[in-house]
Amino acid sequence: MSFNLVKNPWIKVVEKESGHETKVSLEEAFRNSQKYLCLSGDMKFQDLAVMRFMLAILTTVYTRFDADDNPYEWIELDDDMRFVRLVDEYDEDDLFDTWEKLYSQGHFSDAVVEYLYKNIDAFDMFGERPFYQVTREEYDSFATKPISTGKGTVSVRQINRRISESNNSPSLFSPRSAQKKDSFSMDELVRWIITYQNYTGTTDKTKINLKEKVSNSAGWLYKLSPVYADGDSLFETLLLNLVLVNQIDRENYVNQVPVWENDSFDGYVESIKRLVPPNNIAALYTTWSRLMHIEWEYDKPAIYVAGLPALSNTNAFIEPMTIWRNDKDDVTPAARSIKSSNVNKAMWRDFGMYINVDGKEDRKEPGIVSWLRELKENDCIDRGKLLSLDSVSVISDGNATSQAPAIEVFDDMDINASVFFDKGENRWPRRIEDAIATTQNVADDYIKMVKKVGLIRFHGDNRQAGSFSRKYGLVFYDGLNAPFKNWLSGLKDSDNRDEKLNEWKKLLLQTTLDNLNIFMKGATHSEIVGAIDESGNVRNIFTAVGLFKHKMYKELE
């Protein structure tokens, strides 16, 4: 049996010219990335996991070679294109020059494919050291239960995150029949293995041998609320997210060490045991949450996994693809994961989480946003380029003992680079945040108004009135999403700020009035007649709407 990721097709992409979906190998993907529109895997979060895997390769190569495939003058490499030592003073300007030249020529250079062939054995699913796996001997030396016990296996249906079915919890609404849940093609298995290492869950009983009791990792990406740049082609998407300069150590060269460049997995597991994230992006993007070994009987895999401890993401600023929040003491940032309670909250409503609105030093913005800002300031990208930020998150089932993926959330937001990174006195980010705050205030008042009407409809039942108001609140925000995103993407640095803000207020007003008309058409007899409150005043749908309109016009000035 043979399947090598470098030569065999396994990456799903969409061709730009035909619009058709096809599968390509790593070699084809990097040679022709400019000909493909995007990744097109089984799910959006699978595409993110595969993209980060590809970025690990690109980051490794282009922190060693320039766009003309020459090693940097300050570095020494071995015959396998791996780092040996620095021979001169490191210069990060060389990395910016490499990025800019790649961007201008519109394709990746030959060094990427050459690196893949130099390390081709690491990408073989059936090699002496199989891809993303350890050997049987290594597994037995690390795991609490050796393979001979038959313990610690997971089925294909559990690794396939479209099913996520364990032996104990059948997936009732699976896209596959019971007979087909463990069937797979090799390209499909490879994509899901990469994804599984990023989004694992905690059902596994087998762990690695540790002196102290620690929790199994649920996968690094599972704990984040990822954000990344989306380009007009696969090449541009990869390049925009290719962070070549180490964000936490600007003075020193940091060697990129993807998981396959570890000399032994003894050392790799020992580094994981320290519970500290890697200091380089290539290692981070290829971090495992499980030791895995596959025993093959003809074409039937027995997949053995042993849980690795969860890495701390507090202060893990090496991670560029996440938004951040401050913890309780408002000092230490920590990765923010999306919750089921705000699954319907659109990306633009958290605008201030994606950009440092006021330029305060204690505000931490996503590393990818800081990187895009540097590219703009170094004239690597046009100041008027329309940037697209995408976000994809996976929400678990809420069960602490399984944390099985239950919901995939995807959203995007387009904004002009000169607007996003405006530094003027009347800066755009601050004015956009003000517009969102105004929108939030109107929405809050609208939801409160609906709840007042709900209390009349449900005769004072607060629970039913609350559910009633939340339903209409979701409808209200859903109606704002497209208008706000269109308004945001149309902003330009040359626009008059006040005029554009008034333009949004008019859109907000019209959308709100449209919602009010629909809401009032569904009024019941009890809501129209109303009731007399403790003060002797009549309260009905008309008084509630009238008070809301008064507040809205005051808010919108």
Side-chain angles (χ1 to χ4, degrees):
M1 297 176 70
S2 175
F3 193 92
N4 195 292
L5 278 66
V6 176
K7 297 184 290 185
N8 292 100
W10 64 277
I11 303 173
K12 281 186 173 183
V13 295
V14 175
E15 296 174 334
K16 287 187 73 174
E17 188 172 331
S18 67
H20 294 160
E21 184 180 274
T22 187
K23 283 183 283 193
V24 296
S25 65
L26 272 175
E27 178 179 1
E28 292 173 299
F30 286 124
R31 286 199 188 280
N32 302 311
S33 59
Q34 68 279 4
K35 297 180 182 179
Y36 306 130
L37 188 63
C38 60
L39 295 174
S40 182
D42 303 291
M43 302 187 80
K44 282 285 186 182
F45 69 90
Q46 184 191 86
D47 288 339
L48 177 60
V50 171
M51 181 178 74
R52 284 166 65 98
F53 167 74
M54 296 175 71
L55 285 169
I57 297 169
L58 292 172
T59 309
T60 301
V61 171
Y62 288 116
T63 52
R64 300 173 185 176
F65 292 85
D66 63 22
D68 295 318
D69 294 342
N70 299 313
Y72 297 115
E73 294 180 354
W74 31 265
I75 197 172
E76 180 183 337
L77 305 174
D78 64 15
D79 291 339
D80 291 327
M81 302 172 70
R82 298 191 180 189
F83 174 79
V84 177
R85 63 189 178 98
L86 287 178
V87 295
D88 205 342
E89 187 175 353
Y90 159 66
D91 187 355
E92 74 169 30
D93 288 341
D94 290 342
L95 301 179
F96 280 106
D97 291 342
T98 295
W99 195 99
E100 185 176 12
K101 187 162 186 179
L102 288 171
Y103 188 71
S104 62
Q105 70 187 24
H107 60 83
F108 296 114
S109 61
D110 293 336
V112 181
V113 174
E114 185 179 351
Y115 172 83
L116 292 175
Y117 275 94
K118 290 282 188 181
N119 297 273
I120 195 167
D121 291 343
F123 301 100
D124 193 336
M125 284 291 292
F126 301 95
E128 291 184 12
R129 186 173 290 282
F131 173 74
Y132 262 40
Q133 301 165 59
V134 294
T135 64
R136 180 173 182 141
E137 293 74 20
E138 288 171 330
Y139 183 92
D140 285 346
S141 68
F142 293 127
T144 54
K145 298 174 183 177
I147 289 175
S148 59
T149 65
K151 304 292 185 181
T153 60
V154 295
S155 57
V156 171
R157 67 181 66 190
Q158 190 168 342
I159 287 178
N160 185 331
R161 286 320 196 180
R162 296 186 69 193
I163 304 173
S164 288
E165 178 178 308
S166 67
N167 294 329
N168 301 320
S169 303
S171 177
L172 298 180
F173 302 102
S174 170
R176 292 188 178 179
S177 66
Q179 294 79 12
K180 294 292 184 180
K181 285 180 180 178
D182 286 318
S183 64
F184 64 94
S185 59
M186 280 304 301
D187 62 277
E188 185 181 27
L189 182 64
V190 170
R191 292 193 303 274
W192 282 120
I193 283 176
I194 294 173
T195 308
Y196 188 73
Q197 292 287 15
N198 287 277
Y199 304 92
T200 311
T202 54
T203 56
D204 311 277
K205 301 296 188 292
T206 303
K207 300 182 179 182
I208 63 168
N209 290 300
L210 290 170
K211 294 179 181 178
E212 301 165 356
K213 187 177 180 180
V214 296
S215 301
N216 276 354
S217 172
W220 180 261
L221 271 180
Y222 213 164
K223 299 181 291 182
L224 306 182
S225 184
V227 56
Y228 55 95
D230 187 24
D232 294 332
S233 66
L234 177 58
F235 167 76
E236 188 174 76
T237 297
L238 289 169
L239 197 63
L240 288 173
N241 291 286
L242 181 58
V243 182
L244 292 180
V245 176
N246 193 294
Q247 300 289 297
I248 59 175
D249 189 354
R250 302 298 293 261
E251 301 299 322
N252 300 299
Y253 176 78
V254 178
N255 181 38
Q256 303 293 320
V257 188
V259 66
W260 54 83
E261 283 200 7
N262 285 279
D263 293 330
S264 74
F265 283 105
D266 287 6
Y268 177 71
V269 173
E270 287 302 318
S271 69
I272 294 288
K273 286 180 180 180
R274 293 197 292 270
L275 308 183
V276 178
N279 70 341
N280 65 92
I281 284 179
L284 185 72
Y285 285 0
T286 56
T287 293
W288 292 349
S289 59
R290 297 291 182 271
L291 282 187
M292 181 179 290
H293 175 74
I294 302 178
E295 291 273 305
W296 291 90
E297 184 175 350
Y298 300 104
D299 59 347
K300 304 287 185 184
I303 306 172
Y304 292 85
V305 297
L308 292 167
L311 302 179
S312 170
N313 56 30
T314 300
N315 288 333
F317 300 134
I318 187 65
E319 173 57 70
M321 293 186 184
T322 190
I323 57 178
W324 300 85
R325 61 169 172 80
N326 288 341
D327 65 5
K328 293 178 181 178
D329 59 13
D330 292 327
V331 174
T332 307
R336 171 189 180 273
S337 58
I338 196 166
K339 306 296 182 184
S340 57
S341 58
N342 61 0
V343 66
N344 292 299
K345 191 175 184 181
M347 191 176 176
W348 61 266
R349 290 170 59 190
D350 279 328
F351 183 79
M353 301 290 289
Y354 296 97
I355 184 72
N356 189 343
V357 172
D358 296 313
K360 295 180 179 178
E361 292 185 4
D362 62 342
R363 290 290 301 131
K364 188 69 181 175
E365 65 186 13
I368 193 66
V369 172
S370 299
W371 172 246
L372 292 171
R373 177 188 281 107
E374 286 200 71
L375 293 176
K376 174 185 171 290
E377 292 176 350
N378 284 277
D379 296 322
C380 296
I381 59 174
D382 184 70
R383 65 188 305 272
K385 180 176 178 56
L386 189 67
L387 299 175
S388 180
L389 293 181
D390 289 5
S391 175
V392 58
S393 296
V394 181
I395 302 175
S396 77
D397 58 6
N399 188 332
T401 60
S402 65
Q403 294 189 34
I407 305 171
E408 179 187 63
V409 182
F410 175 79
D411 201 1
D412 59 5
M413 178 173 67
D414 297 340
I415 187 168
N416 190 287
S418 61
V419 171
F420 203 35
F421 302 123
D422 185 15
K423 289 183 176 181
E425 185 175 335
N426 195 16
R427 61 173 64 195
W428 259 124
R430 176 70 268 165
R431 302 305 298 274
I432 293 169
E433 187 76 345
D434 290 342
I436 293 171
T438 298
T439 305
Q440 184 75 52
N441 291 337
V442 172
D444 287 346
D445 288 339
Y446 179 84
I447 293 169
K448 289 176 184 176
M449 178 273 296
V450 174
K451 186 171 184 180
K452 288 179 182 178
V453 176
L455 287 170
I456 299 173
R457 172 177 288 200
F458 300 108
H459 310 290
D461 189 320
N462 193 64
R463 184 184 62 82
Q464 290 193 70
S467 177
F468 181 66
S469 64
R470 285 192 294 274
K471 171 188 170 184
Y472 275 92
L474 290 175
V475 172
F476 183 82
Y477 271 120
D478 282 346
L480 291 177
N481 286 340
F484 189 89
K485 289 167 72 171
N486 290 335
W487 175 79
L488 183 66
S489 64
L491 298 179
K492 296 181 175 58
D493 185 41
S494 57
D495 288 336
N496 181 292
R497 275 47 168 180
D498 291 332
E499 287 181 3
K500 296 302 288 187
L501 288 176
N502 281 331
E503 179 184 305
W504 168 245
K505 287 180 180 180
K506 290 176 182 177
L507 285 169
L508 175 58
L509 173 63
Q510 187 58 54
T511 303
T512 306
L513 292 176
D514 290 343
N515 274 277
L516 275 176
N517 288 334
I518 295 171
F519 176 67
M520 293 187 72
K521 284 179 181 178
T524 63
H525 179 267
S526 60
E527 292 165 9
I528 295 172
V529 175
I532 299 175
D533 64 16
E534 296 175 354
S535 303
N537 298 314
V538 176
R539 300 298 183 196
N540 56 31
I541 191 170
F542 302 107
T543 59
V545 169
L547 180 60
F548 164 70
K549 283 186 174 181
H550 173 75
K551 289 183 177 180
M552 175 179 65
Y553 285 119
K554 186 176 180 181
E555 179 70 38
L556 297 178
E557 300 174 338

